[in-house]
Amino acid sequence: MYRVLGKGGFGEVCACQSRATGKMYACKKLEKKRIKKRRGESMVLAEKQILQKVNSRFVVSLAYAYETKESVCLVLTLMNGGDLKFHMYNMGRDPAGFELPRARFYVAEVTQGLEHLHSLGIIYRDLKPENLLLDEAGHLRISDLGLAVEVPRDGSVKGRVGTVGYMAPEVIDNLRYTFSPDWFSLGCLLYEMIEGRAPYRARKEKVKREEVERRVRQDLEKYSSRFSPEAKSLCQELLKKNPRERLGSAKEVKRHEFFKTINWKRLEAGMLEPPFTPDVSDHCTVVPHHPDLLVQPHAVYAKDVLDIEQFSTVKGVNLDAADDSFYIKFNTGSVSIPWQNESRD
């Protein structure tokens, strides 16, 4: 295990290395006591079960899953280029956001990732810039599948799940839905990439959740001169309030005029050159004869370790035999494709 890269609701993410092969990964360590205190067992297990089904260059992959006495650990693709929110707001452009070609490339790769998840019957439900990570080459992957859910046999789900400002009207109204919320969130993402702010709330605006939800339900977004006619059209088609009127599949999205310059076959194969390459040529490289040291990257696209809030000890929560029997499920399941590829290499 090496430096802490960030933290989530149940624990922290750190860089790690496989002793057998030297390959670097990100290890998502979820504290058992914290999970129990917040009654997150089913969510955590669902994330692991969904991750082991996924095999796409546009979604983070699960390489290993195991438990320790204190934690359950998901060992995932290391994405050391930083998250899209950091790049959007901290990498020099004023006002924030991306030029149209860069926004187009990222939205195209997200569309590929959503297409893969939807083909497996998985609704993602938490699409936002901080959940989209860049690798060292500048390609993007969807991460953090903690809120993802599989569509059941009756063909729809219910639940006010997601992040305020990115949740679709049908989610806010607690109606049944399938994949439509993911396409609404894609519209929010495209708008934010171009405009440098989310469509229903200005950056750092202090506004109550109820007001943001009212705006999502009722207000039409405003478009500046930063939008081309094609970009504006795609946003409007994705941000329709009524899911029946909204673009509802990857096929429909890909056909839009905004993507006329994208060669989807080459994109799917990872052959299109990203518009931006993170400067991480030595990131997370082990120093010979000093296995506890890492070469410093040329640029760090994340908060400094000292800025990452430390978790306090969970008090008043004890693990028992029922917890032990539940967490054994993390040690079972399929042997992941990334693990097979690593062993073969």
Side-chain angles (χ1 to χ4, degrees):
M1 297 291 178
Y2 297 108
R3 64 160 281 189
V4 175
L5 302 174
K7 72 180 183 72
F10 296 119
E12 62 189 22
V13 180
C14 60
C16 65
Q17 183 182 35
S18 166
R19 284 198 177 105
T21 65
K23 187 169 175 60
M24 300 299 301
Y25 291 102
C27 181
K28 187 173 182 179
K29 297 169 68 176
L30 310 170
E31 296 179 26
K32 293 178 179 177
K33 287 185 178 180
R34 200 168 298 280
I35 294 168
K36 185 172 183 178
K37 184 176 182 179
R38 297 176 60 179
R39 296 190 176 98
E41 290 89 349
S42 59
M43 181 193 298
V44 169
L45 183 58
E47 180 178 12
K48 184 256 183 181
Q49 291 171 335
I50 285 173
L51 275 167
Q52 67 188 26
K53 294 181 179 181
V54 173
N55 180 34
S56 166
R57 68 170 71 248
F58 305 103
V59 185
V60 294
S61 299
L62 177 70
Y64 307 88
Y66 64 94
E67 64 167 327
T68 66
K69 185 178 178 181
E70 296 84 17
S71 305
V72 290
C73 299
L74 302 174
V75 180
L76 307 161
T77 315
L78 179 65
M79 304 293 287
N80 52 2
D83 68 69
L84 223 54
K85 183 175 183 179
F86 187 88
H87 284 277
M88 207 181 300
Y89 293 109
N90 297 280
M91 293 303 291
R93 192 177 182 209
D94 186 27
F98 301 131
E99 300 290 345
L100 278 174
R102 189 171 175 186
R104 180 184 293 110
F105 180 84
Y106 291 152
V107 171
E109 293 206 322
V110 173
T111 299
Q112 288 288 160
L114 290 178
E115 182 175 37
H116 178 72
L117 292 174
H118 293 177
S119 73
L120 299 174
I122 297 165
I123 314 170
Y124 179 54
R125 301 201 297 183
D126 200 21
L127 190 62
K128 56 185 178 180
E130 48 265 61
N131 283 349
L132 301 171
L133 309 181
L134 297 183
D135 64 16
E136 59 190 18
H139 289 287
L140 178 150
R141 289 193 191 222
I142 297 171
S143 74
D144 197 346
L145 277 70
L147 297 183
V149 65
E150 293 187 66
V151 179
R153 287 183 180 177
D154 67 2
S156 64
V157 299
K158 226 176 142 180
R160 284 171 51 90
V161 172
T163 299
V164 177
Y166 299 91
M167 291 162 58
E170 62 269 26
V171 177
I172 294 171
D173 291 335
N174 206 21
L175 303 176
R176 299 199 72 84
Y177 53 83
T178 54
F179 305 114
S180 61
D182 284 348
W183 300 116
F184 184 88
S185 299
L186 185 70
C188 293
L189 178 71
L190 175 59
Y191 183 99
E192 187 170 0
M193 282 191 207
I194 297 172
E195 188 64 25
R197 59 175 288 266
Y200 304 106
R201 178 167 60 182
R203 182 155 164 77
K204 297 184 179 177
E205 179 188 8
K206 292 190 189 246
V207 58
K208 290 185 178 179
R209 177 189 183 114
E210 292 77 14
E211 170 59 14
V212 178
E213 292 181 348
R214 185 203 64 76
R215 293 176 188 177
V216 171
R217 285 197 199 97
Q218 300 175 14
D219 291 2
L220 292 177
E221 59 283 357
K222 296 181 174 68
Y223 294 92
S224 72
S225 59
R226 299 178 101 184
F227 288 83
S228 67
E230 295 81 10
K232 178 180 176 181
S233 170
L234 179 56
C235 272
Q236 289 175 326
E237 292 295 320
L238 289 168
L239 294 175
K240 296 276 191 187
K241 310 296 186 187
N242 186 338
R244 292 190 185 90
E245 298 173 2
R246 192 181 307 149
L247 295 181
S249 69
K251 188 175 181 181
E252 291 178 358
V253 172
K254 288 178 177 182
R255 278 203 306 252
H256 194 277
E257 190 72 6
F258 180 67
F259 294 116
K260 63 185 176 184
T261 59
I262 294 288
N263 183 321
W264 289 100
K265 290 290 186 186
R266 289 179 64 82
L267 181 88
E268 188 176 0
M271 295 173 67
L272 290 189
E273 186 176 344
F276 168 81
T277 304
D279 187 11
V280 292
S281 53
D282 287 318
H283 190 59
C284 286
T285 302
V286 178
V287 179
H289 311 301
H290 296 279
D292 294 331
L293 297 177
L294 290 177
V295 172
Q296 289 299 308
H298 291 282
V300 177
Y301 300 105
K303 287 186 176 181
D304 187 270
V305 179
L306 298 176
D307 293 333
I308 298 173
E309 182 182 344
Q310 296 299 307
F311 278 107
S312 57
T313 304
V314 178
K315 297 178 181 178
V317 177
N318 296 307
L319 301 174
D320 52 30
D323 297 309
D324 293 340
S325 62
F326 172 80
Y327 285 117
I328 285 174
K329 297 174 185 176
F330 272 81
N331 297 329
T332 62
S334 60
V335 176
S336 69
I337 291 173
W339 182 89
Q340 294 177 45
N341 291 339
E342 181 183 7
S343 299
R344 191 162 51 242
D345 293 342

